[in-house]
Amino acid sequence: MPIYKMNGRKDGKQQYRVRINYTDKNGKAKQIDRIAYGAAEAKLLETRLNREIKDQPLSVKRTVQQLYDEYIANKKHEVRETSLAKTKQRLQLHVLPTMGTERIDRLTAGVLQRWKNSISEKDLSTITQQNIYSEFRTLLNYAVRMEYISKNPLDSVGNFKEVYFEMQQDKLRYYTADQFKEYIKVAKEKSVTLTDWGYYVFFNIAFYTGMRKGEINALKWSDIDGDIIHVRRNIVQKLKGGDRETPPKNKSSYRDLQIPLPLMKILEEHKKRQQQDKNFTEDFRVCGGPVCLRDTSLSNKNITFAKEAGLPHIRIHDFRHSHVSLLANERINIQEIARRLGHSKIETTWNTYAHLYPREEERAVAILNKIV
């Protein structure tokens, strides 16, 4: 109990010792001892002391680097390893070098605006700048949540904004069906070794299913049941300790995709090739065999195939856009496209791909014209 009855008395009132044990904002154990006379006065003193402790000035000694170290130590138990790696990369590259030694209680709007200006001067896209800001803001929100500071000072300077608005269709790059035929023709012509055939199969899967790179790399023959691909796993490369097989990106990314006939034929032929390996099992990666294809090699092959086909280079992720473009132009329901992509929210799909859908203005006006 924090209130102890003592032997002394004063003015006829019993003496009490009020003792409060607490941990200060720096994590140090502290104690307050006070004397009061009378039970009611002792209780009032206890209440006042507890309120004073709660309202005491917040810690002013943590630097951004110290906050980062604590934040990462806690965050690693709450998020996927890939998400943590992105957070660490953004903060280590763009926040800690200039802000690491700054005390968090001294992060004024002026200090943060100068940091923001330094990021603006880097050759980074607006989206990348916004992601950096969001990571820094989340870090400082953690400080507020832990009551190290009373409010987030980064809110006063605001996030980065696009100086010039770019239409979404200018950002998306993809191949049409005819372009893909030229691209994949080159990939097939260059398929000599079993590994070469793996690249050929990889890009076919990417175009015909819209699966993510990590999902294709992780795909095993045991994940294919007849004409259905069960998307159940993901491979992450470039992490410390080597490749990591993880669950898909989110709950909606667990999905079953029916295999189109052209892709089915390609997969059947490729499985026969892999079965020539005496160590073959159903746990072989579809595109790589005992181990998955390397991200760097995939990127290099992608550049080569595009160049020799006389096509503009698109990223591997843009094969997802190619998949959607093909389906959207055939007016496939946006909800089915979201399911095929494994998006958790249909709004994500619509915000990204709405412009790919054929314009319906003329047909809409034609319907309204019939009303007389």
Side-chain angles (χ1 to χ4, degrees):
M1 289 178 60
I3 300 177
Y4 302 90
K5 188 175 182 180
M6 309 295 287
N7 292 327
R9 300 182 71 86
K10 183 178 180 180
D11 297 331
K13 293 183 178 181
Q14 181 68 47
Q15 184 186 59
Y16 290 90
R17 179 183 297 276
V18 180
R19 176 175 293 168
I20 306 293
N21 297 307
Y22 70 100
T23 302
D24 71 10
K25 301 300 182 180
N26 292 312
K28 294 183 179 180
K30 294 289 185 69
Q31 186 181 88
I32 298 177
D33 262 318
R34 297 287 188 274
I35 298 297
Y37 292 90
E41 286 78 0
K43 189 64 178 175
L44 287 172
L45 177 59
E46 178 194 32
T47 300
R48 180 172 61 79
L49 291 175
N50 278 323
R51 185 168 57 248
E52 288 176 359
I53 291 170
K54 183 178 180 181
D55 295 338
Q56 68 181 323
L58 297 168
S59 170
V60 296
K61 297 182 180 180
R62 280 178 176 78
T63 64
V64 172
Q65 178 69 58
Q66 291 170 329
L67 180 67
Y68 166 86
D69 293 338
E70 178 184 328
Y71 173 68
I72 293 299
N74 292 327
K75 189 178 178 68
K76 68 181 181 181
H77 303 296
E78 302 172 353
V79 299
R80 293 164 61 98
E81 192 173 6
T82 49
S83 299
L84 183 65
K86 288 181 181 178
T87 293
K88 292 169 69 174
Q89 181 184 49
R90 289 166 182 161
L91 293 175
Q92 288 175 357
L93 288 177
H94 304 292
V95 175
L96 297 182
T98 56
M99 304 296 291
T101 59
E102 296 283 348
R103 277 176 31 179
I104 60 176
D105 64 301
R106 294 178 178 175
L107 293 178
T108 64
V111 169
L112 292 170
Q113 185 62 56
R114 286 192 291 275
W115 166 79
K116 187 178 174 185
N117 292 342
S118 71
I119 298 299
S120 297
E121 292 170 359
K122 296 183 179 182
D123 186 19
L124 302 171
S125 69
T126 303
I127 292 178
T128 300
Q129 292 175 344
Q130 291 172 342
N131 287 337
I132 294 167
Y133 174 93
S134 295
E135 292 289 4
F136 195 9
R137 183 174 183 272
T138 301
L139 174 65
L140 294 178
N141 276 341
Y142 171 80
V144 174
R145 190 166 69 252
M146 298 304 293
E147 298 184 355
Y148 299 151
I149 52 178
S150 59
K151 64 180 181 178
N152 192 330
L154 196 56
D155 289 340
S156 62
V157 301
N159 205 338
F160 295 89
K161 298 179 181 179
E162 287 186 308
V163 178
Y164 300 104
F165 177 74
E166 299 177 65
M167 294 295 290
Q168 182 68 33
Q169 51 262 50
D170 294 333
K171 295 181 180 180
L172 287 185
R173 304 186 69 187
Y174 52 86
Y175 286 151
T176 64
D178 287 339
Q179 287 176 316
F180 176 72
K181 288 177 183 178
E182 294 299 316
Y183 175 94
I184 210 63
K185 179 182 177 182
V186 172
K188 188 172 185 180
E189 290 171 350
K190 288 188 168 295
S191 296
V192 179
T193 67
L194 189 57
T195 301
D196 293 335
W197 282 107
Y199 298 123
Y200 169 72
V201 173
F202 178 96
F203 288 108
N204 271 293
I205 295 175
F207 183 81
Y208 280 109
T209 69
M211 290 171 62
R212 299 178 177 94
K213 176 176 64 176
E215 295 170 343
I216 302 174
N217 271 333
L219 189 65
K220 297 181 178 181
W221 289 109
S222 58
D223 297 323
I224 299 178
D225 181 14
D227 66 344
I228 299 295
I229 291 177
H230 301 291
V231 183
R232 298 291 184 271
R233 63 186 89 240
N234 180 66
I235 282 282
V236 181
Q237 300 181 23
K238 300 177 182 177
L239 290 177
K240 289 184 178 179
D243 293 355
R244 216 76 95 243
E245 181 175 309
T246 69
K249 187 174 183 180
N250 53 55
K251 184 177 179 181
S252 299
S253 294
Y254 286 89
R255 60 201 189 278
D256 296 335
L257 301 173
Q258 188 170 354
I259 305 172
L261 291 177
L263 180 59
M264 177 66 77
K265 182 180 178 181
I266 291 167
L267 290 173
E268 289 173 349
E269 292 173 349
H270 188 55
K271 188 172 186 178
K272 291 177 182 177
R273 294 188 199 98
Q274 284 199 359
Q275 286 173 331
Q276 299 302 309
D277 188 328
K278 63 180 181 180
N279 297 315
F280 175 84
T281 71
E282 291 292 312
D283 281 334
F284 263 40
R285 305 290 181 186
V286 172
C287 297
V291 295
C292 68
L293 299 174
R294 310 317 300 162
D295 286 348
T296 301
S297 297
L298 280 166
S299 295
N300 291 337
K301 291 291 183 181
N302 181 33
I303 293 171
T304 298
F305 298 158
K307 182 178 180 180
E308 297 202 11
L311 295 169
H313 167 252
I314 65 173
R315 302 169 306 162
I316 293 175
H317 188 77
D318 294 330
F319 281 81
R320 272 167 70 84
H321 301 330
S322 302
H323 179 74
V324 175
S325 173
L326 182 65
L327 298 181
N329 278 283
E330 293 297 326
R331 300 186 182 183
I332 298 300
N333 187 285
I334 192 72
Q335 190 166 0
E336 169 58 15
I337 289 179
R339 187 194 72 81
R340 294 184 67 83
L341 295 180
H343 283 169
S344 58
K345 296 180 180 179
I346 194 171
E347 291 84 357
T348 301
T349 317
W350 183 251
N351 290 339
T352 306
Y353 299 113
H355 68 276
L356 294 178
Y357 278 78
R359 287 174 59 88
E360 295 283 303
E361 183 177 4
E362 291 79 7
R363 196 162 72 91
V365 172
I367 292 173
L368 294 172
N369 284 340
K370 295 178 181 179
I371 301 174
V372 292

